[in-house]
Amino acid sequence: MYTKVHGDKMLFVAVYVDDVLIFSNCYRWKTEIKAQLSREFKMKDIGPAKYVLGIRVSRSKDEIALDQEKYVEAILSRFQMTDCKPVSSPMNVSEKLTRDTCPSTDQELERMKSVPYQEAVGCLMYLAQSTRPDICYAVNILSRFNSNPGEKHWCGVKHLFRYLRGNSKYRLTYKKRGASKIESFSDADWVADLEDRKSITGYVFTAQGGAVSWSCKRQKTVALSTCEAEYMALSAAVQEALWWRRLRV
């Protein structure tokens, strides 16, 4: 991310490999940066962003929205879950996933060889990182068993697919008249991991009425109290807040 801010004028250039997005409230700056880039690189100006890295960008007079409905439909079709029955939550909270249910016999290992577990979790991880903070926690749990998934873990993946079936149209919406001040919320699930007793940090940052940054990660050390777990979650959120503060200067 490259930035230029002077007075009430701003220019942001976001680069991902060979894709470039330019945001600016100054027409002259925007025109100049396009001309400079064209002189240095072979590039094509394809106009206002509509699809970026599988993310649909929708605009109206009062808001901008991001969604991955087409991507959700594609992965549901890829893993033969298009016609599955929807559920209302990303995970079955009554059933804890642990390594005790990982395959331990040759028969179980052979049976799981044909299950595309890692592929499915990889697809879900991209979705969780891009536009779906609501599945971030579930994907974090499921990704822990990538090296040796069992049937219960695969059922957890299919449960998440069923959740997406019911809300593939969910999107992040940023309103023109929404609160421009960035707000953050952090929390911790104390000793959530039944095996190593580590807690999970979660935070989300919002602006203009929509989420702009979020995270769900297992903490590196074991918290000895709920207060300590909350403190580590707050510490992670503060680090992210400092990055946003620098970006907005």
Side-chain angles (χ1 to χ4, degrees), residues 103-145:
S104 56
T105 65
D106 291 340
Q107 292 81 2
E108 291 175 339
L109 289 168
E110 187 64 29
R111 190 160 54 246
M112 291 302 298
K113 280 184 179 180
S114 60
V115 175
Y117 188 89
Q118 292 182 353
E119 297 174 33
V121 171
C123 292
L124 292 167
M125 190 174 294
Y126 176 66
L127 185 63
Q129 292 174 342
S130 301
T131 61
R132 298 297 297 264
D134 55 324
I135 68 170
C136 195
Y137 177 83
V139 173
N140 175 275
I141 298 298
L142 295 169
S143 63
R144 299 178 188 178
F145 308 101

Side-chain angles (χ1 to χ4, degrees), residues 155-208:
C155 287
V157 170
K158 291 193 288 186
H159 185 98
L160 185 48
F161 280 141
R162 293 173 61 192
Y163 171 74
L164 293 173
R165 174 70 285 166
N167 50 56
S168 61
K169 299 181 185 295
Y170 274 13
R171 61 183 192 168
L172 297 174
T173 302
Y174 307 98
K175 298 183 180 296
K176 182 178 181 180
R177 301 186 184 280
S180 60
K181 182 180 179 181
I182 293 181
E183 296 182 334
S184 65
F185 306 86
S186 69
D187 200 0
D189 189 352
W190 188 45
V191 295
D193 194 310
L194 299 178
E195 294 170 316
D196 62 15
R197 312 309 291 175
K198 290 182 179 178
S199 307
I200 294 177
T201 284
Y203 64 72
V204 61
F205 285 71
T206 63
Q208 303 299 142

Side-chain angles (χ1 to χ4, degrees), residues 213-236:
S213 176
W214 55 88
S215 178
C216 180
K217 293 182 178 180
R218 185 166 49 176
Q219 295 178 356
K220 294 182 179 180
T221 58
V222 177
L224 301 181
S225 66
T226 56
C227 180
E228 186 178 353
E230 296 279 2
Y231 179 82
M232 286 193 278
L234 180 61
S235 175

